[in-house]
């Protein structure tokens, strides 16, 4: 008779353990991190290949994307295969460690609290500095509402990039596929800009990031809405979950990113605040569409509420995804 455990995906238990590891340890700055290595590789190839005319840059950018993503997957797969050949437990421990590096649950929550704590104490300069650690916009002149907006937007967007998307890819293909996703994400953050230097060279990286995040972003929105419903029923904080799905489908396409707007629009609706608007980058104003309705004034409590929503969302996402894989295996 086949044991029930035989239907579990090979990576399911390791992903669960990796989540616990990330929640406890996070990403210590003194420890080596695969994303740092990936970033160095991108920087080296950027300096060497980002040259010539537009067509040449676009071809080189495509080659960069293929090289970094496939290279990351292959190196991770080969390393785990060699360690497993030496001893199965070496492979298991190494894979759990690599999986943990693809998650940013503790890091994202800590970043949010680092902004919220000085903000609650009225220390705007410290809150601005904490926000500047996680966003690219200028923060020197931001008031409490704008600091809060930056914190909530960061938590909403990175719930996908830093948690649910790597979780999904980890469940599908273990650490090699999760790290390949992080390579895609890192490529987009480094070369996926629409400026003179990267408009062509970063084109393939930006498009691949859009494709990789399309499904995770929308699945995350459903879990985020469900998290809002459950937290409202639990009485932790009144959240505006009614009509949130409709409002998100209306507002999300207004965001310049095909994916980031979805969790931001849902978070805005649930909290009853308005996100988006004008950001300043190196002194240059960038106007974006607003998401949600300003039913409440943005304040530090909304950062703490967004952290609670983030934790509930990833937990629901992980449980539902795991159950889905189990059911798939039983069919």
């Amino acid at each position: 008779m086949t044991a029930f455990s035989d239907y579990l995906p090979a990576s399911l238990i390791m992903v669960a353990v990796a989540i616990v590891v990330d929640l406890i340890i996070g990403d210590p700055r003194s420890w080596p991190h695969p994303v740092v290595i990936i970033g160095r590789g991108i920087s080296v190839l950027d300096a060497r290949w980002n040259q010539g005319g537009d067509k040449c840059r676009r071809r080189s950018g495509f080659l960069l994307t293929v090289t970094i993503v496939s290279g990351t997957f292959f190196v991770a797969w080969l390393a785990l295969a060699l360690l497993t050949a030496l001893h199965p437990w070496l492979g298991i421990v190494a894979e759990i460690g690599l999986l943990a590096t693809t998650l940013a649950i503790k890091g994202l929550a800590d970043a949010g609290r680092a902004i919220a704590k000085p903000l609650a104490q009225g220390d705007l300069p410290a809150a601005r500095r904490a926000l500047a650690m996680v966003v690219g916009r200028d923060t020197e002149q931001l008031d409490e509402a704008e600091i809060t907006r930056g914190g909530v937007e960061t938590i909403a967007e990175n719930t996908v990039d830093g948690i649910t998307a790597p979780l999904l890819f980890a469940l599908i293909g273990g650490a090699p596929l999760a790290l390949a996703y992080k390579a895609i994400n890192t490529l987009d953050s480094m070369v996926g800009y629409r400026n003179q230097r990267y408009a062509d060279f970063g084109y393939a990286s930006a498009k691949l990031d859009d494709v990789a995040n399309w499904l995770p972003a929308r699945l995350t929105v459903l879990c985020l809405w469900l998290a809002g419903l459950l937290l409202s029923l639990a009485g932790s904080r009144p959240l505006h979950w009614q009509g949130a799905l409709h409002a998100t489908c209306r507002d999300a396409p207004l965001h310049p990113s095909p994916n980031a707007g979805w969790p931001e629009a849902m978070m805005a609706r649930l909290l009853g605040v308005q996100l988006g608007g004008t950001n300043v980058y190196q002194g240059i104003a960038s106007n974006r569409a607003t998401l949600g309705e300003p039913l409440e004034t943005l304040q530090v409590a909304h950062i703490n509420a967004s952290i609670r929503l983030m934790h509930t969302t990833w937990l629901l996402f992980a449980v539902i995804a795991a159950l889905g894989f189990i059911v798939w295996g039983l069919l």
Side-chain angles (χ1 to χ4, degrees):
M1 183 176 179
T2 304
F4 178 73
S5 60
D6 293 339
Y7 294 107
L8 294 175
S11 59
L12 184 56
I13 296 175
M14 287 189 288
V15 169
V17 176
I19 290 173
V20 174
V21 171
D22 178 67
L23 287 171
I24 296 173
I25 300 176
D27 291 316
R29 293 181 180 273
S30 60
W31 291 16
H33 199 287
V35 169
V36 175
I37 299 172
I38 293 169
R40 288 174 181 169
I42 294 170
S43 295
V44 170
L45 295 181
D46 178 16
R48 294 181 179 179
W49 292 358
N50 191 4
Q51 302 174 25
D54 295 347
K55 291 183 178 179
C56 181
R57 286 174 185 265
R58 187 162 291 202
R59 286 195 298 268
S60 298
F62 177 80
L63 182 60
L64 169 77
T65 304
V66 172
T67 301
I68 294 295
V69 176
S70 62
T72 298
F73 181 91
F74 177 74
V75 168
W77 177 85
L78 182 61
L80 291 173
L82 291 173
L83 289 171
T84 301
L86 290 174
H87 195 285
W89 276 105
L90 282 176
I92 291 172
V93 171
E95 180 145 21
I96 290 172
L98 289 175
L99 286 168
T101 67
T102 67
L103 303 173
I105 303 172
K106 184 177 186 298
L108 185 55
D110 287 348
R113 294 190 189 101
I115 300 168
K117 183 177 179 180
L119 195 58
Q121 297 170 345
D123 189 350
L124 292 183
R128 291 168 184 151
R129 289 192 295 271
L131 179 61
M133 297 293 291
V134 293
V135 300
R137 71 192 71 171
D138 298 346
T139 64
E140 294 84 358
Q141 304 300 321
L142 299 185
D143 59 14
E144 179 181 352
E146 285 298 296
I147 294 170
T148 298
R149 178 168 74 85
V152 171
E153 288 173 351
T154 297
I155 292 167
E157 181 178 356
N158 285 282
T159 296
V160 177
D161 294 349
I163 307 175
T164 56
L167 271 178
L168 180 62
F169 287 108
L171 287 169
I172 294 172
L177 191 60
L179 284 167
Y181 167 77
K182 296 304 290 185
I184 294 170
N185 207 229
T186 306
L187 278 163
D188 182 63
S189 68
M190 293 183 67
V191 303
Y193 299 104
R194 297 178 182 177
N195 55 27
Q196 184 175 359
R197 178 173 176 80
Y198 293 116
D200 290 293
F201 188 68
Y203 180 82
S205 295
K207 290 301 179 183
L208 183 57
D209 185 76
D210 290 343
V211 172
N213 281 302
W214 193 93
L215 182 60
R218 286 149 182 82
L219 293 177
T220 301
V221 160
L222 294 175
C223 292
L224 186 53
W225 175 80
L226 185 56
L229 172 60
L230 293 177
L231 289 175
S232 294
L233 294 176
S236 62
R237 176 186 172 87
L239 295 166
H240 307 269
W241 59 270
Q242 292 179 314
L245 287 172
H246 174 76
T248 298
C249 291
R250 179 196 66 204
D251 292 348
L254 301 175
H255 196 281
S257 166
N259 299 312
W262 289 85
E264 287 187 24
M266 177 58 76
M267 186 72 81
R269 176 68 185 191
L270 290 174
L271 296 178
V273 300
Q274 189 172 78
L275 302 179
T278 301
N279 296 330
V280 179
Y281 300 92
Q282 297 179 343
I284 300 174
S286 174
N287 297 312
R288 294 185 176 184
T290 55
L291 307 174
E293 300 176 9
L295 304 177
E296 301 179 23
T297 301
L298 280 161
Q299 53 190 300
V300 64
H302 292 115
I303 297 178
N304 295 322
S306 67
I307 293 173
R308 287 193 294 272
L309 278 165
M310 177 270 288
H311 277 306
T312 310
T313 298
W314 73 255
L315 184 58
L316 286 168
F317 188 96
V319 171
I320 292 171
L323 290 175
F325 279 100
I326 292 171
V327 171
W328 179 268
L330 290 171
L331 295 177

